[in-house]
Amino acid sequence: EMSAEERAFQEKIDAGIKIEAKDWMPEGYRRTLIRQISQHAHSEIVGQLPEGNWVTRAPSLKRKAILLAKIQDEAGHGLYLYSAAETLGVTRDQVYADLLSGKVKYSSIFNYPTTNWADIGTIGWLVDGAAIMNQIPLCRCSYGPYSRAMVRVCKEESFHQRQGYDLVMAMAKGTPEQKAMAQDALNRWWWPALMMFGPSDGESVHSAQSMQWKIKILSNDELRQKFVDQTVPQAEYLGLTIPDPELKWNEDTGHYDFGAIDWEEFRQVVAGNGPCNRDRLRTRVKAWDDGKWFRDALLAHAEKKSERQVA
Ligand code: 3HC
């Protein structure tokens, strides 16, 4: 049974009124947003690692500059999202400690290895493509700071997706070896990209409440279907084959039917047993430890400055 405050809150949500940091909100709304926004921020920060691996191996200065720009964007997206999480009353150190302790997660997709250059293009094309699919609705989510952060992020994500597709196109239209690399990367990234959208709607523990609160506008399966419908023609244009023998256009529904997702693989990766989970966390913990002297120096400098001002 809703309290008067909760009813008034839900009426604001239903009327499409944005909730701002200073507004009253149910504790569950605050907690769900802290959970989702901080995991989203962690995904941006950890997501830099698979790509960082290829900065020194980029095949041209142009591709290196593009990749550096993309990785820098991801760092910025992380900062926007950590700032959005801070408006809900958590500190950046707190949420970051939860990432480093393994207590909270980041997107499953970043636990897969980038074994060659075609992976870099395929990540832009599929992973950033899926991220855009998921983040466009978030521009309309009910929490003001999150929705506004998403507007800026989505503008940069479209550059990420475009440069990825351009890279894969260069390979798919290149030598037979390059095309084979592009096909191999598609084979390895297709299903993990579909898993990015989360469990099926029936298995999703948060969707019903998140949709009532307009944190989630479209369901996991709806977004996954939009992604498949949009991406299949792009693969066909490149002359690449989607690694799903059950993929078939369904004239009646106007969507592609596709095969079953391996939810056991998803559960294993989310549980920390993916190919790169331990490596990703170790790298982030090392970066945190190695940066301690720098953070301490900044704080010492800030304290001295504020003492001088007081004096
Ligand atoms: N990887 C890891 N965990 C996942 C996941 C994934 N791909 N999909 C779902 N989960 C987790 C959820 O976090 C939840 O676990 P929790 O209670 O411990 O948090 C559990 O699985 C149940 O899933 P639900 O669908 O019930 O959970 P949500 O309602 O939170 O939906 C979501 C999952 C769609 C990912 C939603 O959290 C969301 O939209 N998050 C914001 C966007 C985001 O994080 N995208 C990740 C892509 S990375 C990215 O955008 C960076 C870009 O630069 C590539």
Side-chain angles (χ1 to χ4, degrees):
E1 179 48 32
M2 274 192 195
S3 70
E5 278 173 324
E6 283 166 341
R7 210 178 9 265
F9 176 82
Q10 192 57 51
E11 279 160 16
K12 279 172 80 175
I13 298 284
D14 296 344
I17 295 169
K18 284 275 188 262
I19 306 299
E20 296 301 333
K22 299 233 176 324
D23 295 343
W24 184 86
M25 61 183 81
E27 207 30 51
Y29 181 82
R30 181 186 305 279
R31 250 197 335 275
T32 286
L33 283 166
I34 289 171
R35 172 184 64 82
Q36 176 165 331
I37 296 173
S38 54
Q39 288 182 155
H40 195 164
H42 297 331
S43 301
E44 302 284 0
I45 298 301
V46 174
Q48 299 173 85
L49 299 177
E51 297 175 315
N53 183 25
W54 284 89
V55 170
T56 56
R57 304 181 175 95
S60 70
L61 184 58
K62 173 187 164 209
R63 293 288 178 193
K64 181 187 288 218
I66 291 172
L67 184 53
L68 277 171
K70 178 177 188 304
I71 294 171
Q72 185 180 3
D73 283 351
E74 312 291 11
H77 297 172
L79 294 184
Y80 295 144
L81 288 163
Y82 284 129
S83 301
E86 284 175 323
T87 66
L88 291 158
V90 288
T91 67
R92 192 166 310 193
D93 285 0
Q94 210 177 324
V95 292
Y96 212 67
D98 288 347
L99 167 70
L100 300 183
S101 68
K103 185 167 160 241
V104 298
K105 296 180 299 292
Y106 50 89
S107 185
S108 49
I109 192 73
F110 297 120
N111 290 309
Y112 290 84
T114 46
T115 54
N116 64 57
W117 182 250
D119 289 61
I120 294 304
T122 308
I123 283 178
W125 173 29
L126 298 185
V127 173
D128 290 84
I132 292 173
M133 205 57 84
N134 162 285
Q135 289 170 159
I136 294 275
L138 284 171
C139 295
R140 302 198 317 270
C141 90
S142 57
Y143 188 54
Y146 193 25
S147 64
R148 290 189 292 271
M150 280 298 106
V151 171
R152 174 68 184 277
V153 164
C154 285
K155 286 192 173 72
E156 293 171 340
E157 289 289 13
S158 35
F159 144 63
H160 299 173
Q161 196 270 354
R162 179 66 45 229
Q163 64 80 35
Y165 190 62
D166 175 63
L167 191 163
V168 176
M169 192 182 310
M171 297 188 79
K173 309 275 184 201
T175 63
E177 293 80 9
Q178 287 173 328
K179 181 164 187 177
M181 285 173 72
Q183 181 62 59
D184 164 60
L186 176 56
N187 293 346
R188 285 181 288 110
W189 288 93
W190 174 254
W191 291 103
L194 296 192
M195 294 177 200
M196 280 174 72
F197 293 95
S200 60
D201 293 347
E203 302 300 308
S204 165
V205 295
H206 302 299
S207 286
Q209 183 59 74
S210 286
M211 292 184 91
Q212 187 185 353
W213 280 333
K214 289 188 185 167
I215 294 171
K216 188 177 281 192
I217 307 288
L218 291 170
S219 78
N220 298 0
D221 288 333
E222 280 171 324
L223 285 177
R224 197 177 352 257
Q225 184 66 64
K226 277 166 75 84
F227 174 73
V228 171
D229 291 348
Q230 169 183 294
T231 310
V232 171
Q234 293 172 347
E236 285 170 352
Y237 178 75
L238 296 181
L240 299 179
T241 308
I242 300 273
D244 175 1
E246 293 174 54
L247 184 76
K248 198 166 67 60
W249 177 255
N250 182 324
E251 203 47 53
D252 303 340
T253 63
H255 295 292
Y256 282 94
D257 293 333
F258 54 93
I261 289 174
D262 179 349
W263 292 114
E264 185 46 31
E265 175 180 332
F266 174 74
R267 262 189 294 279
Q268 283 306 323
V269 174
V270 171
N273 307 320
C276 303
N277 295 55
R278 270 172 282 286
D279 186 45
R280 300 289 184 236
L281 220 42
R282 222 188 348 259
T283 308
R284 290 273 40 116
V285 169
K286 183 175 181 327
W288 178 260
D289 294 344
D290 291 355
K292 181 164 175 13
W293 69 270
F294 185 64
R295 292 192 300 276
D296 293 349
L298 286 179
L299 289 173
H301 175 71
E303 269 151 36
K304 267 198 224 120
K305 223 169 114 196
S306 63
E307 276 153 22
R308 271 201 302 278
Q309 273 155 0
V310 165

